[in-house]
């Protein structure tokens, strides 16, 4: 762990050294939290590769029930680091695009990734024809891990990611459109929540000394969203999202929106706008 931290610090300092950021005390203060975040991302990516292999192995073995049980927990690692994954738009599209992004939707043979597999498992209740798509998903996830491991994370992208994760939930995911076949949306929400909270926790000390009231407000908002999500826990996972009422979704959306609005100011508070 110590070696990972030193390597992350070295990479970030190298990136900052040739930019205007190096003259900003605030950004130099970010070196340690960004290095810690790089370790978090690396661990999530390793977990993603491991879980994706188990998920795709189940598909290739024709085990529909096992594949279904692994789908949602596998995706959580991806959802937690989504703003960083989106730096590689080609891989993000290959891994996480939806049927709406393709002409003729699910019928388009170019429709790839998690959601194509989700469609086959839930709508067709079958693994027929999914093996090549599963192999491609595992290859893409592995490549994403390699690419991110070799890069220094931009501070503005990391800090901005806290809001981006919550904004995505509020803007598109709250409707249930993403996991439309499996209705495992609450797992995705939890992954987004965890990733956003991790960023906030890492930069919190830099803001708290100047604006403790803001930090308390955001921490309270995280608690509200976390408590709301916890209401829908079921065993080791979450209830099917289609079981939530319109009122349930409105309460969740309100809490997420409030949190996202405050998190959107983090970059400005840290001089990264």
């Amino acid at each position: 762990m110590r070696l990972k931290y030193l390597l992350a610090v070295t990479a970030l300092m190298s990136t900052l050294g040739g930019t205007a950021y190096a003259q900003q005390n605030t950004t130099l203060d970010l070196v340690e939290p960004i290095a810690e975040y790089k370790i978090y991302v690396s661990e999530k990516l390793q977990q993603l590769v491991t879980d994706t292999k188990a998920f795709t192995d189940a598909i290739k073995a024709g085990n529909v029930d096992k594949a279904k049980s692994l789908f949602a927990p596998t995706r959580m690692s991806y959802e937690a680091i989504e703003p960083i994954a989106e730096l590689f738009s080609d891989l993000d599209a290959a891994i996480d695009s939806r049927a709406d992004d393709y002409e003729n939707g699910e019928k388009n043979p170019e429709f790839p990734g998690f959601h194509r597999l989700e469609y086959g498992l839930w709508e067709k209740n079958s693994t027929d024809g999914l093996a090549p798509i599963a192999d491609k998903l595992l290859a893409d996830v592995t490549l994403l891990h390699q690419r991110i491991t070799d890069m220094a994370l931009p501070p503005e992208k990391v800090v901005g990611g806290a809001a981006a994760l919550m904004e995505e939930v509020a803007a598109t995911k709250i409707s249930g459109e993403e996991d439309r076949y499996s209705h495992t949306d609450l797992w995705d929400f939890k992954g987004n929540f965890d990733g956003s909270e991790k960023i906030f926790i890492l930069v919190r000390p830099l803001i708290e000394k100047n604006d403790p009231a803001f930090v308390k407000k955001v921490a309270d908002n995280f608690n509200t969203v976390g408590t709301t999500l916890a209401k829908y826990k079921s065993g080791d996972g979450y209830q099917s999202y289609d079981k939530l009422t319109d009122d349930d979704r409105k309460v969740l959306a309100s809490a997420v929106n409030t949190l996202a609005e405050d998190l959107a100011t983090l970059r400005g508070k840290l001089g990264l706008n």
Side-chain angles (χ1 to χ4, degrees):
M1 179 65 73
R2 181 62 181 170
L3 178 58
K4 284 184 180 179
Y5 175 75
L6 291 174
L7 290 172
V9 169
T10 300
L12 183 57
M13 287 299 291
S14 176
T15 298
L16 295 177
T19 71
Y21 291 127
Q23 282 75 52
Q24 297 182 22
N25 290 334
T26 300
T27 306
L28 291 176
D29 288 342
L30 280 168
V31 168
E32 183 173 346
I34 299 296
E36 293 284 356
Y37 183 69
K38 179 67 181 291
I39 294 170
Y40 172 80
V41 169
S42 296
E43 290 172 346
K44 287 293 182 184
L45 285 166
Q46 185 57 61
Q47 189 66 52
L48 177 64
V49 172
T50 299
D51 291 347
T52 300
K53 186 176 188 309
F55 171 60
T56 56
D57 281 351
I59 288 173
K60 292 164 68 176
N63 193 331
V64 173
D65 289 341
K66 183 175 182 180
K68 283 182 176 180
S69 73
L70 294 175
F71 174 76
T74 296
R75 284 179 50 76
M76 287 183 72
S77 295
Y78 188 84
E79 293 294 331
I81 61 159
E82 199 165 12
I84 304 304
E86 288 173 349
L87 292 171
F88 301 99
S89 58
D90 58 330
L91 291 178
D92 181 53
I95 292 167
D96 200 39
S97 58
R98 306 170 195 177
D100 305 341
D101 299 322
Y102 301 88
E103 186 176 359
N104 297 322
E106 292 89 350
K107 296 178 181 179
N108 192 319
E110 298 300 315
F111 175 33
F114 274 118
H115 295 303
R116 175 62 183 87
L117 296 172
E118 178 196 8
Y119 171 73
L121 291 171
W122 271 270
E123 293 297 307
K124 303 296 185 182
N125 200 39
S126 171
T127 61
D128 290 350
L130 297 185
I133 300 167
D135 284 338
K136 178 67 162 52
L137 174 64
L138 180 58
D140 288 333
V141 164
T142 302
L143 181 56
L144 179 68
H145 184 203
Q146 293 169 352
R147 286 191 188 177
I148 293 179
T149 296
D150 294 337
M151 72 177 292
L153 302 183
E156 68 278 5
K157 188 67 175 179
V158 173
V159 176
L165 284 162
M166 290 294 96
E167 288 166 354
E168 184 172 354
V169 174
T172 61
K173 292 184 178 180
I174 207 75
S175 67
E177 69 178 59
E178 178 148 7
D179 298 316
R180 65 191 68 173
Y181 318 113
S182 63
H183 305 298
T184 55
D185 305 80
L186 288 168
W187 295 77
D188 282 9
F189 293 1
K190 184 60 165 64
N192 293 151
F193 174 88
D194 288 347
S196 180
E197 187 176 41
K198 180 65 175 182
I199 295 168
F200 173 69
I201 288 170
L202 289 174
V203 302
R204 175 175 180 162
L206 303 182
I207 301 170
E208 196 160 27
K209 56 189 177 184
N210 295 318
D211 198 344
F214 171 80
V215 166
K216 183 181 184 307
K217 181 183 178 186
V218 174
D220 288 346
N221 287 340
F222 268 114
N223 184 60
T224 298
V225 174
T227 300
T228 304
L229 281 174
K231 287 172 52 181
Y232 308 113
K233 285 281 291 181
S234 177
D236 292 332
Y238 289 88
Q239 295 177 27
S240 180
Y241 193 58
D242 60 342
K243 303 300 183 186
L244 271 66
T245 66
D246 286 344
D247 284 344
D248 289 331
R249 296 188 186 198
K250 286 176 183 176
V251 169
L252 184 56
S254 176
V256 169
N257 269 312
T258 299
L259 179 57
E261 288 170 3
D262 284 337
L263 291 173
T265 69
L266 283 184
R267 284 183 19 161
K269 289 182 179 294
L270 290 168
L272 293 172
N273 280 341

